[in-house]
Amino acid sequence: GQADPQAPAMIKDALKIVSGIGQNGLAVSVDLKRVNPPAAQLTLVFPKAAGKDGVLLPFVRKLADLANAGVQETKVGKRTVQHINVQVVNLGWWEEGNDAVFVIGTEDPTAYAKMIDANETGLAQSALYKQVTAFKEFTVASRGFVDVTALGRIGSDFSPEVSRLIEDLGLKSIKSITFVSGFDGPAERAITEYDIPGPRKGLLALFGQKKISLASLPPLPDDLTRFSASNFNAGNVYEAGVQIVEAVARMFDPNIADNVKEFIKQAEAIVGVKIGEDLFGSFDDMLVGYSSPAEGPLGLGGVYLFKVKNEKKLQQSLDALVKAIPNLPGVNVELKKRDYEGVEISELHLNGPGNFNVPCFAIHKGWLVLANYPQSIYGFVLRSKGELPAWKADAKLTQALAAFPKEFGSISVSDPRPTVQFVFSVLPTALGLANSFSQFAPGLRTFDVGLIPHAQSATRHLFPNITVTTDDGKKIRSETRASLALPF
């Protein structure tokens, strides 16, 4: 009764607008022309949101009038452009056929409307736009692209130092990024492609081109809920990291950049380890991560395995680094070594309030194993000896994998079924408990617990989510097939 009389009608219009976006979609374009002085424009197109039944444009005009924004109207061709100027930012909107167009930027909206009539807007002529709109492999729900080459040119406009930083990071080698996602039968699908025709250095050097397969995997728990594997080489991290630190330092002071490697040499002399050669140089081209209920609840038992090509040198380097950890006030750090089935496990006990992890590592059969608790390493050791069962792809995963290459740069598999089953199994108890408190809120409707499906029934059509990345030397392609892409 105290609300603005227009409020109920505006709420209904807002719900219609949201429904219209859900039915007809939305297009977003960001055009950054220069940085100094700034020239940029954000364009929003709402398909089928205009016309005699459209509520979006009247809704926006009503909001602008309520805010006393001072809306101006200008006739451009057959359209009426409504626009507002707020200091250096201009907002304009109009009908374009049955579509509603909004532009926000530094330039006059009416000038953009004139460019449309003169066929000078250019987006529909873009090769990247044509590429993503021509995609027909599956039903597309969203698509997009980033012209990285153009962004690099704009970044170079800041200063020569920024231009060199972009070059040193290797970002100038990326030409473009394209993305499509949608649905293929029962699967959600998404494909992202990075077009990298040039040489790779800096950040791009982290992406190796060695191919791996499921046969390359070490023995994993037979109850695992997720795992990932890639051709990641920790040695590349060191080399790329030094390049990046030097590049960033060079922006501020070239003398600091020249001293980075000298500082590393001094640190190596203190700890007695050649970081690049002895530590990072001991790794090979593979990284595997996994978690399972047996390793720990809620992902706390996550385990990471780094392939090793020189076990002895790596063990010596890690021991030296752990011993070099300084004694910090109030922090009680203790290194313990434990022998388990002939394997030496190093445990780092951080005896402080609130700490519940025992970071530990071991090197066994060509793998460096990192875990939060020694029990996870026990499991890996026993599986490698054949004393515990190891994971094998089930029928649903095998069927899902058939759509992917047999060899790849990386793979990630997560099974949504255990999580969904757990949620549905506890829902009756949780909602029944909630209903018991309804007596304290007279008139509150209780939950009908009988509407909740059986946990296994709710998951019978689900299958593992898979993401595979391939690299042909010129283009990195990441493809996902999922039944339920849970955020956790």
Side-chain angles (χ1 to χ4, degrees):
Q2 298 176 3
D4 188 299
Q6 300 183 71
M10 293 187 70
I11 291 173
K12 290 181 180 179
D13 287 346
L15 293 175
K16 289 180 181 178
I17 292 169
V18 173
S19 175
I21 296 173
Q23 292 292 325
N24 304 310
L26 166 69
V28 182
S29 166
V30 179
D31 182 17
L32 181 61
K33 296 180 180 179
R34 64 177 182 272
V35 177
N36 191 19
Q41 179 172 294
L42 169 67
T43 305
L44 303 172
V45 180
F46 297 85
K48 302 180 182 179
K52 63 178 182 179
D53 296 325
V55 297
L56 175 59
L57 297 180
F59 180 83
V60 173
R61 178 59 189 259
K62 191 178 294 184
L63 285 179
D65 290 340
L66 288 173
N68 296 318
V71 180
Q72 303 177 54
E73 294 187 359
T74 303
K75 195 75 174 178
V76 179
K78 296 181 179 180
R79 68 183 69 79
T80 299
V81 178
Q82 302 182 69
H83 51 102
I84 303 169
N85 175 260
V86 183
Q87 297 181 348
V88 297
V89 179
N90 296 284
L91 168 63
W93 63 92
W94 62 86
E95 290 188 5
E96 194 71 38
N98 289 326
D99 303 335
V101 178
F102 289 77
V103 294
I104 306 169
T106 55
E107 300 179 359
D108 185 357
T110 60
Y112 185 70
K114 293 176 182 178
M115 289 174 63
I116 294 176
D117 287 342
N119 198 28
E120 296 176 353
T121 52
L123 177 62
Q125 307 304 320
S126 164
L128 291 173
Y129 178 81
K130 292 179 179 179
Q131 179 181 332
V132 296
T133 53
F135 185 88
K136 304 297 182 184
E137 189 174 331
F138 52 80
T139 303
V140 175
S142 64
R143 70 189 95 223
F145 69 84
V146 179
D147 186 344
V148 183
T149 301
L151 281 179
R153 287 195 299 266
I154 294 169
S156 300
D157 291 341
F158 276 103
S159 67
E161 290 78 11
V162 173
S163 178
R164 182 167 182 177
L165 176 62
I166 294 173
E167 174 70 31
D168 290 341
L169 293 178
L171 300 182
K172 284 190 176 181
S173 298
I174 305 177
K175 185 178 179 181
S176 64
I177 302 171
T178 58
F179 170 83
V180 292
S181 70
F183 304 93
D184 187 1
E188 299 179 56
R189 292 191 59 186
I191 297 176
T192 304
E193 291 187 337
Y194 303 82
D195 190 2
I196 314 176
R200 301 183 186 181
K201 62 179 182 178
L203 292 173
L204 298 182
L206 297 175
F207 296 91
Q209 295 185 34
K210 180 179 178 180
K211 294 183 178 180
I212 61 176
S213 66
L214 290 183
S216 311
L217 296 176
L220 304 177
D222 67 339
D223 65 334
L224 63 77
T225 54
R226 70 158 186 88
F227 78 86
S228 61
S230 73
N231 56 13
F232 174 84
N233 188 319
N236 294 338
V237 173
Y238 175 76
E239 296 173 4
V242 172
Q243 291 179 12
I244 293 168
V245 171
E246 289 178 333
V248 174
R250 193 175 291 113
M251 284 187 59
F252 302 97
D253 188 345
N255 295 324
I256 296 177
D258 295 337
N259 293 332
V260 169
K261 290 182 179 177
E262 182 60 33
F263 174 78
I264 293 174
K265 288 182 180 179
Q266 294 177 7
E268 289 176 338
I270 294 173
V271 299
V273 176
K274 293 183 179 180
I275 298 175
E277 181 181 342
D278 296 340
L279 180 62
F280 287 97
S282 299
F283 290 102
D284 209 340
D285 294 322
M286 197 167 181
L287 166 64
V288 179
Y290 61 85
S291 65
S292 75
E295 308 300 323
L298 303 176
L300 293 176
V303 182
Y304 295 93
L305 307 175
F306 294 82
K307 197 170 185 180
V308 177
K309 59 185 177 183
N310 192 326
E311 295 187 24
K312 182 177 180 181
K313 186 180 289 187
L314 179 60
Q315 184 71 59
Q316 292 172 345
S317 300
L318 291 174
D319 288 342
L321 286 175
V322 172
K323 290 179 182 178
I325 296 176
N327 292 322
L328 301 175
V331 180
N332 184 5
V333 180
E334 181 182 4
L335 175 65
K336 292 183 179 180
K337 289 188 177 290
R338 182 191 308 273
D339 181 275
Y340 182 80
E341 298 281 333
V343 178
E344 183 181 82
I345 300 176
S346 299
E347 303 172 3
L348 197 61
H349 292 259
L350 308 175
N351 301 318
N355 180 66
F356 56 84
N357 288 336
V358 183
C360 50
F361 65 87
I363 301 175
H364 179 57
K365 289 195 174 182
W367 294 94
L368 168 66
V369 190
L370 301 181
N372 286 328
Y373 306 99
Q375 287 74 20
S376 297
I377 300 181
Y378 299 166
F380 176 74
V381 172
L382 294 174
R383 285 192 301 274
S384 67
K385 294 185 176 183
E387 297 181 20
L388 285 180
W391 170 83
K392 292 182 180 179
D394 63 14
K396 281 198 172 184
L397 177 58
T398 300
Q399 181 181 359
L401 285 170
F404 294 94
K406 302 301 180 184
E407 294 184 322
F408 32 78
S410 68
I411 185 171
S412 175
V413 176
S414 62
D415 193 340
R417 289 172 291 182
T419 301
V420 176
Q421 282 189 9
F422 172 78
V423 170
F424 277 96
S425 66
V426 300
L427 265 179
T429 302
L431 296 181
L433 182 62
N435 287 340
S436 68
F437 289 96
S438 62
Q439 59 180 311
F440 301 108
L444 180 68
R445 288 183 61 187
T446 59
F447 294 100
D448 185 353
V449 177
L451 295 177
I452 301 170
H454 185 267
Q456 290 180 329
S457 170
T459 60
R460 57 183 169 173
H461 298 300
L462 297 182
F463 49 88
N465 307 325
I466 304 172
T467 298
V468 168
T469 301
T470 55
D471 185 357
D472 62 4
K474 294 183 179 180
K475 185 174 291 184
I476 297 176
R477 174 186 170 105
S478 176
E479 181 175 356
T480 297
R481 284 176 177 261
S483 62
L484 183 63
L486 296 174
F488 44 88

